[in-house]
């Protein structure tokens, strides 16, 4: 993240997002993020828009790992995205935006510049 | 101006020629006129006996045999050629048609030889060569049963390959056959005394009476029955007689046209299959090439390819003789004979294994020093055939006895031992080298791909096990691993889950896999758990395993919206229910389309609308149609005997019953079905995973059909059964498929890839050869008992309902990227650009 002024948006209560699920979040500027929780409890947030199809669907993908990399599979055409970096595992030239995410007071918060 | 090729005869070989010419004639140099004596387009005569299974001629049709879409071919059925005028280069047909030719190919096949037994022309005497012959035999058999009831009896004159096939057909028609053979053993051409003796024992166990070393002195009428007097003094009281004492080439046309024919028949041709007249060729069973007449289809195909090559200047190989090897299942008994089966080669020696208890006889013929394989005979178990036959004439890889020793002794031969020019598929003349190339260079990764690319294994199928071995040998490790997380195949995981009772993905991957899983193994395991009945597919952890379609119980479309398909069993719907669908579609602005499965698809619903849409549908009595699941989709039906003038059974009623029985059944891939109320087949049941066609006497069940990208006609599994038997058989078939198929493997590819194919499936689900049928039925009964509507259950569960929102922080707000435009009076998605990314 290059921006210094991050606005944190409360998304939902921590317990709403169970392991290996994803939820979509509408950000103030109209962008959409997808927040995922991996099996170990870690949270990740990526852009919700699948860059291959243009549809806002990544939050509905299957969460798992490939060769140890935590990933989500796009439900549209099954490309995989590294949850930590947003890079597409099949085509490293394609990536989706990563958003900061944290828990504050029992709420999941997503940061946007 | 294209030249004219006239083909006389539309049998197996004539058809192959036309196909090969059409494939190779890129330049369009030929127009082809086919003149055929029989009234139906080319069919699989080799499989003639299976016609008895369903009396459905369509099953025997050879692919692309009508040339409907090929203007370069005109096919005239039921109009045999009666004379050839070589001077004028024209043929004349029975109907008086005159056709000029630039090239003429005779593919007239053979006629059955009927020995001069007094009485052979009586009513009730038949030959065994065409579908019409079988229809006539059937009519006689049916009349006999109707007139006198009980088990009727028949005689087959001739105990060779065809005679035993005829005996099987008669037995399948409910007659008790006697086989009378002049030689001292059955199948004298193919097997030796030892093999013949064992074969006789196995066949007599099947209610066929065998008389060898015996001739028929005469046949006399006795009312509407026949009495046959045999040379061994026996008198047989019969309903019908089938002559099957060999075949004779149909060479009369050629003879009358002044072409040379052999002393013992057959149109004499050179190694290019040309007669003395350079414009006239002869191929198949009517031809005598290298002073041999071949009574098998593979050499005929090779001749067709030679002539097609010559006509199209592609590659004009010569016909250099052919393999007379045969492998068949006669009355359920494996018989194979290859190479020099009778040890006629000078100095040849024999190695024999006979096991009277197991009912197997295996003989190898080897060169005097034992270093070269010359031929062999296998009776009772022909498994080694596929790997032995290609080795004929080649150095043996080791001790010959090992090759046929029981497998537990390390017997059998590996495909590695074969050189590249060894022919693996003798029906289509495909060598090991060609198959290897298809795997290594063309990237064929499974048996189905190799079949498609090389044609190997597409005729008799006996080499399919070798194709598998070759795939393995080429390092296309037919890895059965589901994905990087499980080294097991889907079938193995299914067994693990079934036997251990493990009911969660977490436990399964911890105990039997590695890592956290992915979009391959998770839905596969979810499907297995669902097939085994583990509650709602969105309960707890299961929700994380489902693909988006199953997660939202709807089908994801390209713009992120979903489509909704309520179940309409059998395609039958009341006007009131139709109105509900219409109102829901109107109120939620859904694009509507009638599907190929006889129901209605409603498109363009955002996730947050799905519950409300389904609430209305469920209240009106609809339930999930599982259009989103790897599960039973629809059972299509024609209108059936209730309305249709031609229908013989209530296809709609049965379709509804089947659809309600199997609804919600999760399987390795989607399952489609259909029921047709008569042989006209308006429901297209033979394009389905399981299809049912009504007959006057019951139901025929076809399995493994497919439409789409890889069309395949379904195979007949059982015929003319009553409804209970039908349903029991489908229960078993589906559960067997669910247990053993790979992930995303449709029944069609599953059937193709199974060792033993359809026969194996029939053994398991009809004969219960594995003793699992009770359990398969129990499993299905459990599924039926546990079925509940998935959508109704979601509507009743606030936790599940809460997931149906576009945004967790703004429930009720629709996804702003979704937009529509009108087209032909409905709305369709507008796709926004996706800058910077290739699509
Ligand atoms: C029951 C049975 C089982 C068999 N099993 C096997 C097996 O397991 N393996 C194997 O390799 N082979 C088997 N065969 C043999 C195989 O079917 C033949 O080798 C193959 O059909 C030969 O093809 P063909 O085109 O030469 O002759 P056919 O298929 O007989 O075709 C010749 C066609 O020409 C037509 N015809 C003849 N005269 C004229 C004319 N004047 N004008 C127009 N049309 C004419 C005939 O009506 C016929 O339709 C079996 C045959 C039978 C009957």
């Amino acid at each position: 993240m290059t921006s210094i002024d991050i606005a944190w948006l409360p998304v939902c209560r921590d317990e709403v997002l169970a392991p290996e699920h994803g939820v979509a979040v509408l950000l103030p500027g109209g962008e959409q993020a997808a927040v995922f929780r991996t099996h170990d409890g870690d949270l990740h947030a990526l852009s919700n828009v699948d860059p291959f199809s243009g549809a806002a669907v990544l939050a509905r993908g299957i969460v798992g790992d490939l060769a140890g990399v935590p990933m989500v599979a796009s439900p549209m055409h099954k490309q995989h995205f590294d949850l930590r970096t947003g890079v597409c595992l099949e085509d490293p030239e394609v990536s989706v935006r990563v958003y900061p995410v944290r828990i504050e007071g029992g709420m999941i918060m997503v940061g946007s510049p | 101006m294209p030249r004219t090729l006239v083909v006389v005869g539309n049998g197996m070989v004539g058809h192959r020629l036309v196909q090969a010419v059409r494939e190779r004639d890129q330049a369009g140099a030929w127009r082809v006129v086919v003149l055929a004596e029989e009234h139906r387009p080319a069919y699989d005569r080799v499989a003639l006996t299976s016609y008895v299974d369903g009396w459905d001629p369509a099953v025997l049709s050879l692919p692309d045999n009508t040339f409907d879409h090929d203007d370069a071919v005109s096919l005239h059925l039921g109009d045999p050629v009666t004379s050839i005028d070589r001077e004028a280069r024209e043929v004349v047909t029975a109907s008086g048609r005159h056709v000029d030719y630039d090239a003429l190919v005779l593919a007239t096949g053979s006629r059955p030889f009927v020995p001069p037994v007094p009485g052979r022309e009586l009513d009730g005497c038949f030959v065994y060569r065409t579908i019409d012959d079988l229809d006539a035999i059937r009519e006689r058999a049916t009349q006999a049963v109707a007139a006198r009831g009980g088990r009727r009896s028949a005689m087959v004159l001739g105990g060779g390959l065809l005679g035993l096939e005829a005996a099987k057909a008669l037995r399948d028609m409910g007659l008790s056959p006697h086989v009378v053979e002049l030689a001292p053993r059955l199948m004298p051409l193919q097997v030796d005394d030892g093999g013949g003796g064992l074969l006789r024992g196995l066949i007599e166990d099947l209610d066929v009476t065998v008389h060898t070393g015996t001739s028929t002195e005469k046949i006399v009428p006795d009312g509407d029955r026949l009495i046959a007097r045999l040379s061994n003094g026996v008198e047989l009281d019969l309903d019908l007689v089938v002559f099957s004492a060999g075949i004779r080439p149909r060479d009369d046309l050629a003879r009358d046209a002044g072409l040379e024919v052999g002393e013992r028949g057959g149109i004499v041709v050179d190694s290019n299959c040309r007669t003395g007249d350079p414009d006239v060729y002869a191929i198949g069973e009517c031809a005598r090439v290298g002073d041999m007449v071949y009574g098998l289809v593979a050499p005929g195909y090779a001749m067709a390819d030679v002539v097609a090559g010559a006509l199209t200047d592609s590659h004009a190989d010569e016909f250099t003789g052919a393999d007379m090897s045969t492998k068949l299942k006669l009355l359920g008994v494996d018989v194979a004979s290859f190479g020099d089966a009778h040890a006629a080669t000078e100095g040849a020696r024999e190695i024999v294994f006979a096991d009277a208890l197991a009912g197997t006889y295996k003989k190898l013929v080897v060169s005097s020093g034992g270093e070269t394989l010359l031929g062999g005979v296998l009776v009772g178990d022909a498994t080694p055939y596929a790997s032995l036959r290609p080795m004929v004439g080649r150095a043996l890889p080791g001790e010959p006895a090992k090759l046929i020793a029981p497998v537990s002794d390390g017997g059998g031969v590996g495909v590695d031992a074969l050189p590249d020019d060894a022919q693996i598929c003798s029906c289509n003349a495909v060598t090991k080298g060609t198959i290897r190339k298809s795997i290594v260079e063309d990237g064929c990764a499974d048996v189905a791909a190799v079949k498609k690319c090389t044609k190997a294994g597409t005729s008799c199928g006996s080499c399919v096990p070798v194709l598998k071995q070759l795939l393995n040998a080429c390092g296309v490790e037919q890895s059965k691993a589901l994905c990087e997380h499980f080294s097991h195949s889907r079938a193995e995981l299914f067994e693990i889950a079934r036997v251990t009772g493990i009911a969660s993905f977490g436990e399964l991957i911890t105990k039997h896999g590695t890592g956290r899983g992915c979009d391959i193994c998770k839905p596969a395991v979810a499907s297995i758990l669902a097939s085994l009945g583990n509650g709602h597919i969105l309960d707890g952890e299961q929700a994380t395993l489902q693909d988006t379609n199953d997660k939202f119980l709807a089908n994801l479309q390209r713009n992120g919206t979903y489509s909704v398909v309520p179940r309409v069993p059998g395609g039958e719907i009341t006007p009131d229910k139709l109105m509900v669908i219409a109102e829901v579609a109107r109120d939620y602005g859904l694009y509507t389309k009638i599907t190929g499965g006889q129901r209605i698809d409603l498109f363009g619903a955002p996730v947050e609308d799905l519950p409300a849409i389904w609430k209305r549908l469920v209240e009106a009595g609809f339930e999930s149609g599982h259009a989103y699941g790897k599960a039973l989709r629809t059972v299509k039906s024609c209108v059936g005997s209730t309305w249709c003038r031609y229908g013989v059974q209530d296809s709609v009623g049965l379709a509804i019953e089947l659809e309600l029985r199997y609804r919600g059944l999760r399987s390795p891939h989607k399952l489609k079905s259909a029921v047709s109320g008569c042989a006209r087949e308006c429901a297209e049941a033979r394009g389905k995973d399981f299809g049912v066609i009504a007959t006057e006497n019951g139901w025929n069940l076809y399995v493994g059909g497919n439409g789409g990208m890889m069309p395949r006609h379904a195979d007949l599994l059982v015929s003319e059964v009553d409804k209970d038997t039908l349903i029991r058989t489908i229960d078993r078939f589906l559960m067997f498929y669910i247990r053993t198929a790979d992930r995303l493997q449709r029944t069609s590819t599953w059937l193709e890839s199974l060792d033993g194919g359809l026969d194996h499936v029939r053994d398991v689900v009809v004969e219960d050869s594995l003793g699992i049928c009770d359990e398969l039925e129990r499993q299905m009964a459990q599924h039926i008992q546990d079925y509940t509507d998935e959508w109704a259950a979601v509507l009743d569960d606030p936790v599940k309902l809460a997931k149906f929102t576009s945004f967790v922080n703004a429930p009720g707000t629709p996804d702003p990227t979704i937009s529509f435009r009108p087209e032909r009076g409905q709305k369709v998605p507008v796709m926004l650009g996706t800058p910077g990314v290739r699509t």
Side-chain angles (χ1 to χ4, degrees):
Chain A
M1 288 290 112
T2 47
S3 174
I4 22 161
D5 293 320
I6 291 178
W8 290 97
L9 176 76
V11 167
C12 62
R13 295 213 52 83
D14 186 23
E15 63 274 10
V16 168
L17 185 57
E20 305 198 317
H21 276 278
V23 287
V25 178
L26 188 57
L27 299 174
E31 283 180 26
Q32 299 184 29
V35 183
F36 303 97
R37 166 162 271 147
T38 50
H39 69 99
D40 47 14
D42 281 0
L43 291 174
H44 301 276
L46 305 179
S47 162
N48 191 32
V49 178
D50 169 25
F52 293 94
S53 63
V57 291
L58 285 189
R60 302 177 211 158
I62 287 178
V63 178
D65 67 355
L66 281 179
V69 175
M71 61 79 189
V72 61
S74 166
M76 201 59 79
H77 295 301
K78 306 288 157 19
Q79 291 90 355
H80 303 94
F81 297 91
D82 187 334
L83 288 177
R84 302 162 308 185
T85 62
V87 173
C88 172
L89 299 182
E90 284 75 21
D91 184 351
E93 291 187 3
V94 177
S95 62
V96 295
R97 181 167 177 184
V98 180
Y99 296 89
V101 59
R102 67 175 194 221
I103 296 176
E104 204 179 290
M107 285 298 280
I108 296 176
M109 315 281 285
V110 170
S112 60
Chain B
M1 221 356 229
R3 289 178 292 163
T4 304
L5 166 65
V6 170
V7 181
V8 185
N10 186 224
M12 299 186 74
V13 173
H15 181 56
R16 169 69 163 241
L17 171 83
V18 179
Q19 279 191 314
V21 168
R22 292 300 299 136
E23 247 168 52
R24 296 184 191 191
D25 183 17
Q26 307 294 348
W30 293 100
R31 111 191 149 86
V32 185
V33 180
V34 183
L35 299 165
E37 176 187 59
E38 288 187 73
H39 291 269
R40 30 174 83 76
Y43 55 90
D44 185 356
R45 203 178 304 286
V46 169
L48 184 66
T49 302
S50 70
Y51 178 53
V52 176
D53 296 342
W55 301 105
D56 179 2
V59 176
L60 294 187
S61 290
L62 290 175
D64 309 319
N65 62 356
T66 56
F67 295 99
D68 278 345
H69 305 289
D70 187 347
D71 294 337
V73 180
S74 56
L75 173 62
H76 303 280
L77 297 172
D79 193 13
V81 172
T82 49
S83 66
I84 305 168
D85 183 344
R86 294 199 286 128
E87 202 92 319
R89 303 220 291 182
E90 75 165 14
V91 298
V92 182
T93 69
S95 72
R97 196 190 303 264
H98 289 246
V99 188
D100 293 336
Y101 65 80
D102 296 292
L104 175 66
V105 176
L106 304 172
T108 47
S110 308
R111 68 163 46 87
F113 170 63
V114 179
V117 176
R120 63 180 188 265
E121 70 300 326
L122 289 169
D123 270 358
C125 291
F126 300 91
V127 293
Y128 192 81
R129 175 110 196 146
T130 63
I131 289 185
D132 287 349
D133 292 336
L134 262 74
D135 281 336
I137 294 172
R138 180 196 196 193
E139 197 186 326
R140 173 89 180 184
T142 317
Q143 277 168 4
V145 172
R148 280 176 298 274
R151 204 164 174 87
R152 312 312 312 160
S153 71
M155 173 172 89
V156 178
L157 204 145
L161 186 160
L162 295 186
L164 294 182
E165 290 241 359
K168 169 172 166 42
L170 293 170
R171 203 185 61 129
D172 291 352
M173 288 181 222
L175 299 159
S176 296
H178 292 262
V179 173
V180 180
E181 167 60 47
L182 197 58
R185 60 170 184 273
L186 292 172
M187 289 186 72
L189 292 182
Q190 287 85 5
V191 308
D192 57 358
D193 279 334
L198 188 99
L199 183 61
R200 178 186 184 132
L202 293 172
I203 282 178
E204 282 180 333
D205 287 346
L206 300 166
D207 189 27
V208 177
T209 315
V210 178
H211 311 261
T212 49
T214 309
S215 61
T216 306
E217 288 176 347
K218 63 174 174 190
I219 303 166
V220 292
D222 173 24
D224 54 0
R225 311 205 60 195
L226 299 169
I227 307 279
R229 177 157 309 130
L230 308 185
S231 63
N232 62 2
V234 172
E235 220 168 65
L236 299 174
D237 185 5
L238 303 164
D239 293 287
L240 63 95
V241 173
V242 175
F243 285 91
S244 179
I247 51 174
R248 295 292 180 268
R250 296 185 69 173
D251 52 15
D252 0 348
L253 267 183
R255 191 191 309 260
D256 295 346
L259 294 165
E260 190 190 349
V261 297
E263 229 170 79
R264 281 164 297 132
I267 307 164
V268 174
V269 293
D270 64 15
S271 58
N272 296 309
C273 299
R274 257 201 175 98
T275 64
D277 180 335
D279 295 325
V280 183
Y281 301 80
I283 55 176
E285 287 191 347
C286 66
R288 174 172 290 275
V289 49
D291 212 22
M292 282 280 286
V293 173
Y294 294 89
L296 292 172
V297 75
Y301 281 175
M303 293 180 219
D305 289 343
V306 167
V307 173
L311 292 174
T312 56
D313 298 320
S314 27
H315 61 246
D317 279 341
E318 298 195 351
F319 181 83
T320 50
D323 191 0
M324 294 294 273
S325 306
T326 24
K327 169 179 177 257
L328 9 119
K329 214 183 183 89
L330 284 169
L331 294 143
V333 179
D334 274 347
V335 181
S337 135
F338 52 97
D340 178 11
H342 298 300
T345 312
E346 177 132 7
R349 299 162 92 183
E350 302 186 346
I351 299 161
V352 178
F353 269 90
D355 182 342
L357 263 185
T360 58
Y361 174 90
K362 303 179 190 174
K363 177 177 87 171
L364 287 189
V365 178
V366 298
S367 61
S368 54
E371 60 285 310
T372 309
L373 180 64
L374 299 175
V377 175
L378 305 167
V379 179
D381 168 22
T383 337
Y385 173 79
S387 47
L388 286 174
R389 192 201 42 76
M391 291 182 59
V392 170
R394 300 175 186 278
L396 286 164
E399 205 185 313
K402 278 247 167 82
L403 301 179
I404 49 172
V407 181
S408 55
D409 301 354
V413 52
V415 68
D416 289 347
L418 299 173
D420 267 358
D421 63 341
Q423 216 174 66
I424 301 294
C425 171
S426 61
C427 299
N428 295 291
V430 190
T431 61
K432 175 176 163 188
T434 308
I435 296 168
R436 267 172 37 111
K437 183 177 158 291
S438 79
I439 300 168
V440 179
E441 288 173 30
D442 308 332
C444 296
D446 53 26
V447 170
V450 172
K451 277 183 172 176
K452 194 155 182 239
C453 176
T454 66
K455 287 207 171 104
T458 54
S459 298
C460 81
S462 71
C463 62
V464 168
V466 182
L467 302 185
K468 283 192 185 161
Q469 291 174 27
L470 270 173
L471 280 159
N472 284 332
C474 291
V476 183
E477 196 46 48
Q478 287 283 57
S479 168
K480 46 189 182 61
L482 195 57
C483 62
E484 66 171 62
H485 303 100
F486 288 98
S487 61
H488 311 77
S489 66
R490 179 193 169 279
E492 287 166 346
L493 284 179
F494 190 97
E495 281 309 292
I496 292 174
R498 189 179 70 82
V499 174
T500 61
I502 291 178
S504 83
F505 180 82
E507 187 179 349
L508 197 63
I509 198 164
T510 310
K511 290 194 177 149
H512 299 279
T514 57
R516 292 301 313 166
C518 63
D519 51 304
I520 305 234
C521 57
K522 285 187 170 184
V525 170
S527 158
I528 292 172
L529 296 178
S531 294
L532 289 169
N534 281 286
H536 198 279
I537 63 162
L538 299 182
D539 278 345
E541 178 215 45
Q542 283 194 65
T544 68
L545 309 178
Q546 309 293 354
D547 256 325
T548 187
N549 282 4
D550 276 310
K551 205 181 275 180
F552 292 96
L553 306 174
N555 293 51
L556 179 66
Q557 303 299 329
R558 59 185 307 152
N559 64 344
T561 62
Y562 289 83
S563 78
V564 168
V565 187
R567 187 170 294 293
V568 179
E572 184 184 80
I573 188 164
T574 61
D576 283 341
K577 282 183 125 182
L578 257 182
M579 280 193 274
V580 172
I581 294 185
E583 282 163 10
V584 167
R586 186 194 54 207
D587 294 353
Y588 290 90
L590 304 174
Y591 168 96
T592 57
K593 183 160 192 326
I594 311 282
T595 73
Q598 302 185 333
R599 45 194 194 173
I600 298 170
D601 207 339
L602 312 171
F603 290 80
V607 267
E608 60 273 9
D609 283 356
L610 291 171
I613 290 171
W614 271 105
K615 186 159 183 297
R616 299 247 314 250
L617 292 171
V618 168
E619 275 167 8
F622 286 104
E623 52 182 25
S624 165
H626 296 99
Y628 47 80
K630 307 295 180 224
L632 178 82
R633 297 285 170 86
T634 70
V635 183
K636 261 174 84 166
S637 66
C638 67
V639 74
S641 56
T642 320
W643 289 93
C644 177
R645 283 179 294 148
Y646 304 107
V648 294
Q649 306 250 16
D650 175 15
S651 51
V652 183
L654 181 69
I656 293 173
E657 186 172 342
L658 293 178
E659 186 159 341
L660 295 181
R661 186 173 182 86
Y662 302 121
R663 66 187 159 180
L665 180 66
R666 289 293 199 292
S667 54
H669 209 315
K670 60 188 168 194
L671 285 170
K672 297 184 176 183
S673 178
V675 181
S676 279
C678 80
R680 285 175 180 75
E681 238 287 70
C682 297
E684 297 167 334
R686 291 197 60 210
K688 304 296 179 196
D689 294 283
F690 60 105
V692 181
I693 302 177
T695 72
E696 301 271 350
N697 308 314
W699 304 99
N700 285 353
L701 171 61
Y702 296 82
V703 296
N706 201 2
M709 203 162 62
M710 303 260 282
R712 180 183 193 278
H713 256 151
D715 295 316
L716 183 67
L717 183 65
V718 292
S719 57
E720 309 225 306
V721 292
D722 59 34
K723 198 174 83 181
D724 288 348
T725 313
L726 173 79
I727 289 180
R728 192 167 58 238
T729 313
I730 303 176
D731 283 1
R732 296 170 173 185
F733 171 78
L734 290 177
M735 273 302 169
F736 185 49
Y737 161 67
I738 288 172
R739 274 195 185 190
T740 56
D742 279 338
R743 159 186 172 270
L744 300 190
Q745 189 177 38
R746 290 290 293 272
T747 56
S748 57
T749 30
W750 170 71
L751 206 61
E752 294 266 339
S753 68
L754 271 184
D755 277 340
L758 181 71
D759 285 338
H760 177 61
V761 171
R762 193 180 287 120
D763 284 348
V764 174
V765 307
V766 180
E767 312 294 341
D768 198 11
S769 61
L770 300 180
I772 58 171
C773 285
D774 278 352
E775 205 181 311
L776 298 176
E777 284 175 39
R778 247 197 326 276
Q779 239 173 312
M780 188 61 85
Q782 191 67 45
H783 162 76
I784 294 160
Q785 191 191 319
D786 292 350
Y787 169 82
T788 51
D789 175 26
E790 279 167 7
W791 258 110
V794 167
L795 297 176
D796 283 344
D797 182 344
V799 179
K800 293 193 179 90
L801 273 178
K803 305 267 195 270
F804 288 82
T805 52
S806 281
F807 301 109
V808 69
N809 63 334
T813 307
D815 174 356
T817 67
I818 295 173
S819 62
F820 297 96
R821 63 183 170 82
E823 188 177 279
R824 292 185 294 276
Q826 298 201 65
K827 68 175 199 190
V828 296
V830 175
M831 292 308 293
L832 303 173
T834 51
V837 171
R838 308 181 281 270
T839 46

